[in-house]
């Protein structure tokens, strides 16, 4: 069996590399020739732990990389669509890439007798697979879904920074479709890949699509909930949100995961998917009261940080402020929707002098701010001479800051959005999200 994977971002490249490393006959397709040549040299175009090793293994075994959708459509039995669906200007999702790929597959289908199953992994709003993608495929192939090709919705749940592990052992596989033959074949593929330990949920297209949005929106809700509690803690002397989480997390109905209060969630998925569900819900006439509150709570977190900084510094203008951490989470160089970037924008507006550090995301950040801010290649260099250090991303090295290091600062003032440091051991003025003073 040959498998095609169209779109080599986090999801597609991880899947292609994991399958290739297990000797599956895989072809990874991307229209970006530069990306293709980087991948062919054994390097991932973005930072993702373990991916380079997996990719090299896969290339040495059975992974081909190409830009040829016609070849993949004529030769593969399973064809995954894993292109991005970025946010659109109107607060929904931009389906340009998905539609383009569907058109190209459709055209290719019209020239082949092969009957692949097209598996939509890209995150798309409920109804998209059946109403938009299927329509385009049928139009350009002049073939009927369920006869000339199969179509399945199969949302992805991997996390950036854990993409390889999550591809190897996902917590769930969701298969959405309406022709039993395609569902059974895709089910067989995943059973072979993961064994029968991974729960497999079989449903229709639109439910599969909704599951993805419900999943990410619930995660966003957990984070906003705990951030709301964190705000309350900040106004209650001697309280720490960590103690609250330790207790409520022991209630099995709540659980302890995804309850880390912080600067607010970022990244290319949680904010976008929540926003899409808000829009979708409104479009079908269901007022998204809770979802809007989740979004608003998240947006407030950066203001919460600004208030902490302002109260502690009094004057921001001309002050040298060190920002530790730029990526939206540790283990990643991704700065999409990163709260650090939003905070830097606000501080620049107030005419602060910004110096930043991040183990992986400096290059991406340079593309946004250029020479408007300074970049440090070590944590010590970042905090030297500064009036305030703000910890944003929970990279391990920031937990190791010592009192000796802090003496490099002009004023020993720490704003800790992730509570990485122990305020009782610090010889510094310390303010944190979720800690009452
Ligand atoms: C998220 C989901 O976790 C994945 O299951 C999903 O597949 C993915 O989106 C996607 O749709 O592609 P990801 O964006 O990689 O994964 O990042 P998360 O680990 O979910 O973190 C998102 C943000 O929430 C980060 O900014 C993180 O710092 C923040 N966060 C997370 C918290 O503030 N507190 C927490 O307890 C957990």
């Amino acid at each position: 069996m040959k498998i095609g994977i169209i779109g080599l971002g986090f999801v597609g490249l991880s899947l292609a590399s994991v399958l290739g490393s297990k000797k599956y006959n895989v072809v990874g397709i991307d229209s970006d020739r530069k990306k293709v040549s980087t991948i062919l040299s054994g390097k991932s175009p973005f930072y993702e732990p373990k991916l380079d090793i997996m990719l090299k293994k896969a290339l040495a075994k059975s992974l081909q990389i190409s830009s040829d959708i016609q070849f993949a459509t004529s030769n593969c039995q399973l064809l995954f669509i894993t292109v991005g669906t970025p946010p659109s200007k109107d607060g929904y999702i931009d389906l340009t890439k998905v539609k383009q790929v569907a058109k190209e597959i459709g055209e290719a289908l019209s020239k082949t007798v092969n009957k692949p199953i097209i598996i939509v992994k890209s995150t798309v709003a409920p109804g998209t697979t059946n109403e938009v993608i299927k329509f385009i495929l049928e139009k350009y192939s002049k073939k009927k879904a369920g006869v000339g090709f199969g179509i399945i919705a199969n949302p992805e749940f991997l996390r950036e920074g854990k993409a390889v592990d999550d591809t190897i052992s996902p917590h769930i596989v969701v298969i959405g479709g309406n022709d039993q033959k395609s569902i059974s074949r895709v089910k067989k593929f995943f059973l072979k890949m993961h064994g029968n330990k991974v729960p497999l949920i079989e449903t229709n297209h639109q439910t599969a699509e909704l599951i993805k949005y419900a999943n990410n929106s619930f995660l966003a809700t957990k984070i906003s909930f705990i951030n709301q509690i964190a705000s309350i803690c900040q106004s209650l002397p001697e309280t720490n949100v960590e103690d609250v989480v330790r207790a409520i997390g022991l209630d099995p109905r709540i659980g302890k995961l995804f309850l880390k209060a912080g600067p607010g969630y970022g990244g290319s998925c949680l904010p976008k998917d929540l926003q899409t569900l808000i829009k979708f819900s409104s479009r079908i006439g269901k007022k998204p009261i809770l979802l809007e509150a989740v979004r608003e709570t998240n947006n407030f977190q950066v203001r919460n940080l600004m208030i902490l900084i302002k109260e502690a510094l009094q004057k921001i203008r001309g002050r040298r402020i060190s920002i530790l951490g730029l990526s939206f989470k540790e283990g990643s160089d991704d700065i999409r929707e990163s709260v650090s970037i939003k905070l830097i924008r606000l501080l620049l507006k107030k005419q602060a002098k910004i110096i930043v550090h991040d183990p992986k995301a400096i290059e991406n950040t340079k593309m946004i701010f250029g020479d408007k801010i300074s970049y440090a290649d070590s944590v010590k260099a970042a905090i030297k001479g500064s009036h305030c250090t703000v910890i944003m991303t929970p990279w391990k090295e920031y937990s190791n800051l010592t009192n000796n290091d802090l003496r490099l600062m002009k004023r020993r003032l720490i704003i800790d959005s992730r509570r990485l440091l122990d305020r009782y051991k610090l010889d510094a003025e310390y303010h944190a999200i979720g800690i009452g003073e």
Side-chain angles (χ1 to χ4, degrees):
M1 179 168 64
K2 198 168 179 72
I3 299 154
I5 299 168
I6 305 175
L8 299 177
F10 282 99
V11 173
L13 191 56
S14 301
L15 182 62
S17 303
V18 166
L19 290 176
S21 75
K22 292 186 179 191
K23 270 195 164 162
Y24 281 78
N25 193 355
V26 197
V27 54
I29 309 278
D30 204 288
S31 57
D32 182 339
R33 308 261 166 174
K34 207 173 137 205
K35 203 176 195 183
V36 164
S37 74
T38 308
I39 294 171
L40 276 171
S41 74
K43 274 187 77 72
S44 160
F46 44 83
Y47 174 69
E48 179 60 43
K50 300 189 186 175
L51 188 53
D52 278 359
I53 299 169
M54 201 53 86
L55 171 61
K56 283 197 183 95
K57 233 195 233 175
L59 287 168
K61 288 188 178 165
S62 55
L63 172 63
Q64 288 171 273
I65 303 289
S66 138
S67 290
D68 191 349
I69 288 189
Q70 174 73 59
F71 169 81
T73 309
S74 310
N75 290 282
C76 295
Q77 283 71 54
L78 303 181
L79 210 48
F80 286 90
I81 299 183
T82 52
V83 293
T85 49
S88 64
K89 283 197 184 90
D90 64 352
Y92 211 54
I93 41 169
D94 182 349
L95 287 177
T96 310
K97 284 187 188 159
V98 169
K99 286 179 177 169
Q100 179 61 28
V101 165
K103 178 173 176 263
E104 286 179 40
I105 297 174
E107 286 166 348
L109 276 172
S110 73
K111 298 177 200 147
T112 178
V113 290
N114 190 30
K115 296 177 180 177
I117 301 176
I118 289 116
I119 305 171
V120 181
K121 248 196 191 307
S122 302
T123 300
V124 291
T128 308
T129 301
N130 231 341
E131 286 153 28
V132 181
I133 303 176
K134 192 177 88 181
F135 173 81
I136 297 173
L137 287 166
E138 287 184 335
K139 177 176 165 193
Y140 287 94
S141 66
K142 301 194 176 64
K143 291 178 179 172
K144 283 265 349 115
V147 183
F149 61 92
I151 184 159
I152 292 289
N154 168 231
E156 178 57 55
F157 300 94
L158 68 75
R159 298 159 292 176
E160 284 185 28
K162 299 262 187 323
V164 170
D165 291 343
D166 287 352
T167 303
I168 295 170
S169 326
H171 71 275
I172 194 176
V173 171
V174 175
I175 300 173
N178 55 12
D179 93 82
Q180 205 48 50
K181 210 169 133 204
S182 298
I183 293 178
S184 302
R185 278 174 66 190
V186 173
K187 209 168 149 184
K188 208 166 141 197
F189 164 77
F190 281 115
L191 275 172
K192 185 175 170 220
M193 186 177 171
H194 301 303
N196 53 12
K197 284 199 192 92
V198 177
L200 232 147
I201 303 288
E202 203 180 305
T203 181
N204 55 32
H205 296 110
Q206 60 275 27
T207 308
E209 292 162 328
L210 181 60
I211 287 170
K212 170 72 188 181
Y213 284 95
N215 205 100
N216 270 357
S217 298
F218 190 72
L219 293 175
T221 305
K222 283 190 97 171
I223 299 169
S224 277
F225 172 82
I226 205 62
N227 282 339
Q228 180 95 74
I229 300 295
S231 286
I232 295 172
C233 286
Q234 274 169 243
S235 301
L236 258 184
E238 297 300 317
T239 50
N240 187 333
V241 68
E242 301 285 343
D243 298 333
V244 178
V245 170
R246 210 171 337 123
I248 65 171
L250 286 173
D251 184 331
R253 294 167 300 177
I254 297 175
K256 64 178 188 245
L257 299 180
F258 253 73
L259 286 177
K260 281 245 163 268
Y265 56 79
S268 63
C269 304
L270 260 48
K272 178 194 75 163
D273 292 351
L274 180 80
Q275 172 59 36
T276 305
L277 192 56
I278 288 174
K279 200 92 189 194
F280 181 79
S281 183
S282 305
R283 278 186 185 178
I284 60 170
K286 303 289 169 208
K287 197 167 163 31
I289 304 167
L290 173 67
L291 302 176
E292 280 175 344
V294 170
R295 180 180 58 187
E296 206 177 311
T297 308
N298 197 55
N299 291 342
F300 173 72
Q301 284 310 91
V302 69
R303 278 183 275 146
N304 186 1
L305 271 170
M306 278 300 279
I307 292 167
L308 280 179
I309 296 170
K310 220 170 157 194
E311 279 178 2
L313 265 181
Q314 299 295 328
K315 195 175 121 198
I316 292 181
R317 190 181 174 163
R319 294 288 180 264
R320 189 175 164 88
I321 300 180
S322 316
I323 305 289
L324 301 186
L326 301 162
S327 56
F328 82 105
K329 69 191 242 190
E330 69 282 23
S332 165
D333 64 357
D334 196 341
I335 55 167
R336 285 175 288 176
E337 290 293 315
S338 166
V339 184
S340 281
I341 303 300
K342 293 180 185 165
L343 180 70
I344 293 169
R345 283 208 176 98
L346 291 175
L347 289 169
L348 282 176
K349 261 193 194 154
K350 300 257 174 226
Q351 295 180 347
K353 290 183 182 148
I354 304 292
I355 177 152
V356 299
H357 176 268
D358 190 286
K360 296 288 173 199
I362 291 285
E363 289 313 311
N364 286 339
T365 307
K366 278 185 181 165
M367 287 199 258
I368 296 187
F369 293 110
D371 57 8
K372 288 198 188 101
I373 62 174
S374 312
Y375 304 88
D377 52 15
S378 72
V379 183
K380 283 185 189 171
I383 65 173
K384 196 173 171 192
S386 94
H387 297 97
C388 173
T389 292
V390 188
I391 300 178
M392 290 299 289
T393 314
W395 288 102
K396 244 197 206 132
E397 45 263 67
Y398 304 149
S399 316
N400 299 332
L401 269 172
T402 63
N403 281 324
N404 236 351
D405 299 332
L406 298 184
R407 281 191 196 104
L408 292 166
M409 294 177 70
K410 193 159 191 172
R411 176 177 166 192
R412 273 169 282 161
L413 167 62
I414 308 289
I415 308 286
D416 189 351
S417 76
R418 307 272 186 170
R419 297 164 309 287
L420 298 188
L421 302 180
D422 182 344
R423 67 179 158 150
Y424 296 112
K425 290 188 187 149
L426 280 187
D427 181 17
E429 198 184 330
Y430 181 82
H431 305 279
I433 281 191
I435 295 185
E437 293 170 18

